Amino acid sequence: MADLQALADALIKGDRNKVAEMTKQAIADGVPAKDILEKGLIAGMAVIGRRFKANEVYVLEVLIAARAMKGGMEILQPALVKAGVEPIATVVLGTVKGDLHDIGKNLVGMMFTGGGLKVVDIGTDAPAEKFVEACKTSGAKLCAMSALLTTTMPQMRDVIKAIKAANVQVKTMIGGAPVTQSFADEIGADGYSADAASAVDLAKSLL
Ligand code: B1M
């Protein structure tokens, strides 16, 4: 019988082949897809998130675990669809206009996916209209923005203004090295988080 704790442990170790193998085995054993997702893959990613927050693991380990998660998800996806398991919600994620930094954003995206959210990644250098359009077309409940430059932080205010002007009903959250809670308060963002692990907790609390 499939051991979901062992699946979580393989993900924590970033062992992509083992994660793929064990996901296949769990499906073959008739374990519900939702349990494989929540007690195996998401549980493993949550541990990585906590360790990352506590500085016990570094970016590279998170990337390797996320790659293993992706491998497992590819195998699990058809079973999830068949079982009617929906993502918790859709999140639009992008780096704001004028800003090409995407390592942190991608990490946040991986943690979001690892937390059971569907991510619509609109990339870098994304103008306000692109965020608004993506939120409208995807039916997202959350719009998440990243900025790494002090010069591009004001773009976040523009995105929030554009969302309000278009009357799109989404919560907004921001992050990135120069961003602070007081800046979030100043521009009317619904939330701010300092790192990728907190970002997924914040996203879930906003939804
Ligand atoms: Co740039 N760069 N860069 N750069 N770069 C910084 C950010 C800088 C601090 C370096 C420095 O001067 N010390 C500085 C910004 C200064 C400032 O404005 N305060 C800077 C500069 C000036 C520039 C250029 C202007 C340089 C030039 O051309 N003169 C230029 C700008 C280009 C542009 O964007 N238009 C530029 C270019 C680049 C590269 C292209 C070479 C490359 C980016 C490659 C890429 O992303 N694909 C690059 C890099 C790599 C860096 C540093 C070295 C590393 C950034 C990084 O990836 N960190 C950076 C210096 C540094 O930070 N030490 C620097 C790792 C990443 C995991 O952390 O992105 O902070 P971070 O993400 C964290 C959190 O911030 C948070 O979670 C992540 C994980 O915990 N987070 C969120 C991020 N987004 C979030 C969103 C959330 C929540 C949390 O919710 C939605």
Side-chain angles (χ1 to χ4, degrees), residues 52 59 93 98-105 107-108 112 143-152 173-178 192-197 199:
F52 182 55
V59 171
L93 172 68
D99 201 322
L100 301 174
H101 296 85
D102 68 355
I103 299 168
K105 168 188 72 67
L107 219 48
V108 170
F112 279 171
C143 179
M145 295 159 253
S146 178
L148 261 286
L149 300 171
T150 44
T151 50
T152 57
M173 64 177 279
I174 62 174
Y192 154 78
S193 73
D195 57 67

XYZ file of all heavy atoms in Angstrom, residues 52 59 93 98-105 107-108 112 143-152 173-178 192-197 199, ligand 1:
351
model
N 12.566 26.682 4.664
C 13.086 27.843 3.922
C 12.914 29.107 4.769
O 13.826 29.926 4.890
C 12.339 27.951 2.585
C 12.806 29.072 1.700
C 14.138 29.194 1.330
C 11.910 30.011 1.207
C 14.562 30.223 0.494
C 12.324 31.034 0.371
C 13.648 31.143 0.028
N 17.559 28.547 -1.465
C 16.802 28.636 -2.717
C 16.972 27.378 -3.569
O 15.996 26.852 -4.107
C 17.253 29.889 -3.512
C 16.657 29.901 -4.899
C 16.869 31.153 -2.772
N -0.006 35.964 -11.168
C 1.288 36.326 -10.581
C 2.187 36.922 -11.645
O 2.306 36.375 -12.749
C 1.937 35.052 -10.002
C 3.375 35.146 -9.502
C 3.464 36.029 -8.247
C 3.923 33.756 -9.176
N 8.707 47.169 -16.151
C 10.046 47.749 -16.014
C 10.998 46.865 -15.236
O 12.179 47.164 -15.105
N 10.490 45.757 -14.722
C 11.288 44.897 -13.834
C 11.429 43.495 -14.431
O 10.429 42.848 -14.735
C 10.582 44.824 -12.472
C 11.520 44.422 -11.340
O 12.398 43.569 -11.588
O 11.381 44.947 -10.241
N 12.692 43.060 -14.597
C 12.948 41.766 -15.248
C 13.314 40.659 -14.267
O 13.566 39.530 -14.665
C 14.076 41.935 -16.269
C 13.805 42.965 -17.370
C 15.041 43.157 -18.233
C 12.618 42.542 -18.217
N 13.357 40.972 -12.973
C 13.741 39.965 -11.978
C 12.614 38.943 -11.812
O 11.481 39.322 -11.537
C 14.038 40.630 -10.632
C 15.202 41.564 -10.671
N 15.081 42.879 -11.061
C 16.514 41.375 -10.378
C 16.272 43.461 -11.003
N 17.164 42.569 -10.597
N 12.972 37.660 -11.948
C 11.892 36.676 -11.816
C 12.231 35.469 -10.954
O 11.426 34.549 -10.818
C 11.390 36.215 -13.188
C 12.415 35.385 -13.957
O 13.565 35.232 -13.476
O 12.066 34.898 -15.043
N 13.406 35.451 -10.344
C 13.773 34.268 -9.548
C 12.855 34.161 -8.315
O 12.292 33.100 -8.044
C 15.264 34.310 -9.167
C 16.116 34.298 -10.453
C 15.640 33.133 -8.261
C 17.589 34.617 -10.251
N 12.690 35.287 -7.613
C 11.820 35.289 -6.435
C 10.370 35.017 -6.818
O 9.684 34.233 -6.157
N 9.920 35.663 -7.891
C 8.538 35.442 -8.349
C 8.303 33.961 -8.653
O 7.270 33.402 -8.268
C 8.240 36.275 -9.608
C 6.935 35.875 -10.303
C 6.747 36.554 -11.629
C 7.650 36.047 -12.733
N 7.394 34.658 -13.167
N 9.816 31.427 -7.490
C 9.814 30.680 -6.229
C 8.444 30.806 -5.549
O 7.878 29.823 -5.057
C 10.901 31.284 -5.334
C 11.749 30.401 -4.473
C 12.294 29.226 -5.248
C 12.896 31.206 -3.886
N 7.925 32.026 -5.553
C 6.586 32.251 -4.979
C 5.558 31.407 -5.749
O 4.703 30.749 -5.151
C 6.228 33.759 -5.024
C 4.766 33.992 -4.673
C 7.125 34.551 -4.078
N 3.102 28.575 -4.351
C 1.648 28.660 -4.563
C 1.128 27.325 -5.111
O 0.165 26.773 -4.613
C 1.309 29.761 -5.574
C 1.277 31.170 -5.012
C 1.157 32.268 -5.857
C 1.357 31.403 -3.649
C 1.107 33.557 -5.355
C 1.319 32.698 -3.137
C 1.193 33.785 -3.999
N -4.473 38.678 -6.987
C -3.487 39.219 -7.927
C -2.205 39.460 -7.136
O -2.196 40.245 -6.180
C -4.026 40.528 -8.510
S -2.886 41.297 -9.647
N -1.123 38.765 -7.521
C 0.116 38.799 -6.742
C 1.232 39.434 -7.573
O 1.501 39.009 -8.690
C 0.497 37.379 -6.334
N 1.837 40.476 -7.003
C 2.863 41.233 -7.742
C 4.212 41.184 -7.058
O 4.286 41.279 -5.835
C 2.451 42.710 -7.802
C 1.223 43.004 -8.565
S 0.607 44.616 -7.989
C -0.796 44.117 -7.045
N 5.247 41.086 -7.882
C 6.606 41.088 -7.365
C 7.378 42.270 -7.961
O 7.181 42.615 -9.132
C 7.291 39.765 -7.761
O 8.634 39.742 -7.326
N 8.243 42.900 -7.166
C 9.145 43.949 -7.663
C 10.456 43.861 -6.903
O 10.466 43.666 -5.686
C 8.526 45.329 -7.462
N 11.547 44.006 -7.630
C 12.876 43.931 -7.001
C 13.614 45.257 -7.037
O 14.691 45.388 -6.476
C 13.722 42.855 -7.710
C 13.829 41.470 -7.073
C 14.717 41.482 -5.857
C 12.471 40.927 -6.695
N 13.025 46.234 -7.728
C 13.706 47.520 -7.867
C 12.891 48.609 -7.172
O 11.656 48.613 -7.290
C 13.863 47.894 -9.347
C 14.666 46.919 -10.226
C 14.541 47.307 -11.697
C 16.139 46.915 -9.817
N 13.574 49.505 -6.504
C 12.840 50.615 -5.868
C 12.137 51.446 -6.944
O 11.075 51.998 -6.695
C 13.810 51.510 -5.052
O 14.978 51.720 -5.837
C 14.197 50.873 -3.760
N 12.732 51.480 -8.137
C 12.133 52.279 -9.220
C 10.869 51.646 -9.806
O 10.096 52.325 -10.467
C 13.148 52.474 -10.368
O 13.691 51.197 -10.706
C 14.265 53.415 -9.970
N 10.667 50.351 -9.600
C 9.464 49.715 -10.170
C 8.362 49.481 -9.121
O 7.229 49.159 -9.482
C 9.805 48.369 -10.855
O 10.437 47.500 -9.901
C 10.714 48.567 -12.048
N -1.835 41.178 -3.422
C -0.712 41.039 -2.487
C 0.597 41.354 -3.205
O 0.694 41.191 -4.433
C -0.671 39.647 -1.853
C -0.435 38.506 -2.801
S -0.315 36.923 -1.913
C 1.384 36.959 -1.337
N 1.546 41.863 -2.440
C 2.802 42.285 -3.042
C 3.992 41.726 -2.264
O 3.872 41.357 -1.100
C 2.902 43.838 -3.132
C 2.859 44.465 -1.729
C 1.793 44.396 -3.999
C 3.113 45.984 -1.741
N 5.138 41.680 -2.948
C 6.358 41.233 -2.295
C 7.563 41.527 -3.168
O 7.432 42.014 -4.297
N 8.736 41.217 -2.630
C 9.987 41.512 -3.331
C 10.905 42.243 -2.369
O 10.414 42.905 -1.437
N 12.215 42.122 -2.596
C 13.191 42.613 -1.620
C 12.967 44.053 -1.110
O 13.063 44.273 0.096
C 14.595 42.438 -2.184
N 12.664 45.032 -1.980
C 12.547 46.392 -1.421
C 11.164 46.716 -0.852
O 10.958 47.787 -0.291
C 12.815 47.281 -2.654
C 12.351 46.467 -3.809
C 12.513 45.016 -3.430
N 1.074 41.799 2.244
C 2.499 41.806 1.890
C 3.150 40.617 2.568
O 2.810 40.287 3.702
C 3.163 43.099 2.394
C 4.644 42.938 2.645
C 5.551 42.944 1.583
C 5.148 42.731 3.935
C 6.908 42.747 1.809
C 6.505 42.545 4.170
C 7.379 42.556 3.095
O 8.724 42.364 3.312
N 4.072 39.980 1.848
C 4.871 38.982 2.556
C 6.319 39.084 2.121
O 6.622 39.484 0.987
C 4.331 37.579 2.364
O 4.608 37.160 1.087
N 7.193 38.729 3.049
C 8.627 38.941 2.847
C 9.299 37.810 2.082
O 10.363 37.995 1.511
C 9.303 39.113 4.203
N 8.687 36.618 2.093
C 9.334 35.486 1.420
C 8.296 34.532 0.847
O 7.097 34.660 1.123
C 10.273 34.744 2.398
C 9.519 34.273 3.621
O 8.671 33.388 3.471
O 9.770 34.805 4.721
N 8.802 33.578 0.067
C 7.901 32.691 -0.684
C 7.073 31.794 0.231
O 5.914 31.502 -0.071
C 8.722 31.847 -1.660
N 7.656 31.375 1.353
C 6.904 30.486 2.248
C 5.761 31.240 2.916
O 4.639 30.732 3.008
C 7.840 29.891 3.290
N 4.383 33.780 1.655
C 3.471 34.221 0.586
C 2.311 33.243 0.415
O 1.168 33.654 0.236
C 4.238 34.378 -0.731
Co 19.290 43.005 -10.335
N 19.224 44.258 -8.858
N 19.303 44.492 -11.602
N 19.525 41.636 -11.676
N 19.632 41.800 -8.924
C 19.122 43.716 -7.512
C 17.654 43.545 -7.124
C 19.878 44.799 -6.640
C 19.415 44.833 -5.178
C 21.409 44.571 -6.785
C 22.203 45.633 -6.052
O 22.375 46.713 -6.522
N 22.670 45.343 -4.858
C 19.551 46.105 -7.440
C 18.281 46.842 -7.027
C 18.525 48.110 -6.248
C 17.242 48.721 -5.867
O 16.477 49.127 -6.665
N 17.012 48.776 -4.578
C 19.480 45.572 -8.858
C 19.668 46.358 -10.020
C 20.005 47.827 -9.779
C 19.538 45.841 -11.313
C 19.714 46.590 -12.633
C 19.098 47.992 -12.702
C 21.229 46.602 -12.923
C 21.610 47.396 -14.152
O 21.311 47.014 -15.234
N 22.225 48.541 -13.879
C 19.041 45.627 -13.655
C 17.549 45.934 -13.819
C 16.937 45.114 -14.916
C 15.426 45.255 -14.871
O 14.783 44.557 -14.109
N 14.871 46.167 -15.657
C 19.210 44.317 -12.963
C 19.319 43.112 -13.634
C 19.503 41.884 -13.039
C 19.739 40.580 -13.810
C 18.938 40.480 -15.099
C 21.205 40.507 -14.139
C 19.400 39.496 -12.711
C 17.941 39.021 -12.729
C 17.789 37.632 -13.329
C 16.411 37.123 -13.123
O 15.701 37.435 -12.183
N 16.015 36.289 -14.065
C 19.609 40.306 -11.425
C 19.794 39.716 -10.152
C 19.930 38.203 -10.120
C 19.843 40.477 -8.954
C 20.168 40.003 -7.529
C 21.674 39.737 -7.520
C 19.457 38.767 -7.029
C 17.949 38.850 -7.091
C 17.399 37.481 -6.787
O 17.007 36.748 -7.676
N 17.418 37.092 -5.495
C 19.756 41.262 -6.672
C 20.670 41.497 -5.474
C 20.240 40.712 -4.292
O 19.042 40.539 -4.034
N 21.198 40.298 -3.543
C 19.609 42.326 -7.686
C 16.993 35.728 -5.065
C 15.475 35.697 -4.896
C 15.068 34.319 -4.403
O 15.119 36.653 -3.928
O 13.883 38.053 -5.622
O 14.250 38.883 -3.240
P 14.018 37.768 -4.189
O 12.658 37.028 -3.783
C 12.361 36.653 -2.451
C 11.581 37.713 -1.668
O 11.859 39.021 -2.071
C 10.161 37.302 -1.854
O 10.203 35.888 -1.951
C 11.410 35.475 -2.597
C 11.889 34.191 -1.949
O 11.809 34.203 -0.594
N 9.361 37.769 -2.981
C 8.006 37.821 -2.837
C 9.676 38.123 -4.213
N 8.581 38.410 -4.912
C 7.535 38.228 -4.097
C 6.167 38.368 -4.299
C 5.308 38.097 -3.232
C 5.799 37.697 -2.003
C 7.141 37.548 -1.789
O 3.976 38.190 -3.325
C 3.395 38.401 -4.573
